[in-house]
Amino acid sequence: MDKNWSDLIVKNFGQASINYNKEADLQKNFAWLLAKQCIKETIPKGIWVDLGAGTGLLSEALETLNPKQKVLRVDASEEMLSQNSIGSQTQLWDLNFGLPKWPQKPTLIASSFALHWLNEPSLRIEEWFSALPPGGLLAVALPVKGSFKEWHCAAEATGLHCTALDFPCSKFLLEGLQKTNIRYQHLHCYKQKASNINSLLKPIIKIGAHTSPTASLSVGEWRRLYKAWPDSTENETVTLTWLVQLLLIQR
């Protein structure tokens, strides 16, 4: 991954850090879904870490459901980490350079809506899984390819390039792991609805998740895209579909 691209991702999230928790309803929802799935498993005592923790949505959910357990929040954005609750354990680290050194292997490595921003997500999953001790759990939630079908359809219909992030392919994420290690996997289809396209896409910008490797569209091009957006049959609303993969993998 180009360093300038990685730095831009961190910068945009940092600038949005103050408002992130107010706007990140979808991310909150999946942080809790993942945390609730984790407590159904037996996790050995030890260090729990949240990779790409941001403002700590997943860590807060895990700690709420496990009151005696602290979660170490790891992220590349100092601004995002500063929004974590007072007394939280945080570590500033760019996960594109591997994992930090800890006193012992973490028994839970969790990550929600962060993996798709990293270089080679499938290799990151292998790396994170290898960092677990026997019995340790890897828990991940991330949007995958097939998301934003309405956006892609509108771009294709107009001949414009799609500026949405290219998400990882779900079936390639686990290529390097044994199926017997998978404790849980589920692909969620989540539909966001709004009265207009601008309202639909604005939360992505507000949380800093608008970084794209492709050039921005002009105002005129966005208008063409909006006109080609697939119609919704419900109350004249427009829709944006997310496919979100939840995975629990045990060492």
Side-chain angles (χ1 to χ4, degrees):
M1 179 180 289
D2 181 80
K3 187 177 185 302
N4 290 334
W5 163 249
S6 181
D7 289 346
L8 183 59
I9 293 170
V10 174
K11 176 185 175 183
N12 285 339
F13 276 115
Q15 290 177 341
S17 59
I18 295 176
N19 298 313
Y20 187 90
N21 287 350
K22 291 188 294 185
E23 303 291 340
D25 291 337
L26 180 143
Q27 287 77 8
K28 287 178 189 175
N29 179 54
F30 281 101
W32 275 96
L33 280 177
L34 187 62
K36 288 177 180 178
Q37 199 62 45
C38 285
I39 65 169
K40 296 179 182 180
E41 304 293 334
T42 301
I43 305 172
K45 292 182 179 180
I47 299 173
W48 290 15
V49 298
D50 177 3
L51 302 182
T55 59
L57 296 178
L58 177 57
S59 296
E60 291 286 346
L62 287 167
E63 289 179 348
T64 299
L65 296 173
N66 301 271
K68 296 181 180 180
Q69 178 71 51
K70 287 293 186 181
V71 180
L72 174 63
R73 296 133 159 95
V74 180
D75 201 273
S77 169
E78 190 170 4
E79 292 87 352
M80 291 287 273
L81 288 176
S82 71
Q83 296 301 313
N84 280 261
S85 55
I86 295 173
S88 297
Q89 299 174 355
T90 63
Q91 184 172 15
L92 186 65
W93 185 268
D94 187 341
L95 293 164
N96 285 306
F97 296 104
L99 292 174
K101 299 295 183 184
W102 296 303
Q104 61 192 70
K105 290 186 174 184
T107 56
L108 173 67
I109 294 178
S111 180
S112 183
F113 276 71
L115 183 62
H116 59 291
W117 292 108
L118 299 177
N119 185 28
E120 300 185 89
S122 60
L123 293 182
R124 297 280 80 78
I125 280 191
E126 290 183 44
E127 174 189 47
W128 298 354
F129 179 77
S130 297
L132 295 167
L137 189 70
L138 172 61
V140 179
L142 77 158
V144 294
K145 192 175 289 293
S147 296
F148 298 172
K149 63 180 182 180
E150 300 86 358
W151 195 341
H152 286 281
C153 284
E156 185 176 354
T158 55
L160 297 168
H161 63 270
C162 184
T163 57
L165 190 67
D166 188 21
F167 294 123
C169 182
S170 181
K171 70 176 183 179
F172 293 146
L173 284 173
L174 301 175
E175 280 189 325
L177 301 176
Q178 298 293 325
K179 290 183 179 180
T180 53
N181 293 115
I182 300 172
R183 295 288 299 167
Y184 174 85
Q185 60 177 328
H186 186 78
L187 188 62
H188 291 262
C189 181
Y190 185 95
K191 294 182 180 291
Q192 288 183 309
K193 297 182 181 297
S195 58
N196 57 72
I197 307 296
N198 193 45
S199 297
L200 196 63
L201 298 181
K202 188 171 285 185
I204 295 176
I205 299 173
K206 286 186 175 180
I207 67 169
H210 58 289
T211 314
S212 173
T214 59
S216 300
L217 299 178
S218 67
V219 173
E221 288 172 330
W222 274 113
R223 286 174 181 159
R224 285 170 54 198
L225 193 77
Y226 289 175
K227 289 179 181 179
W229 203 273
D231 292 330
S232 173
T233 57
E234 299 180 21
N235 303 320
E236 297 183 349
T237 59
V238 288
T239 303
L240 185 65
T241 301
W242 294 75
L243 294 182
V244 181
Q245 181 79 61
L246 264 63
L247 294 166
L248 267 65
I249 312 164
Q250 195 160 38
R251 185 80 191 269

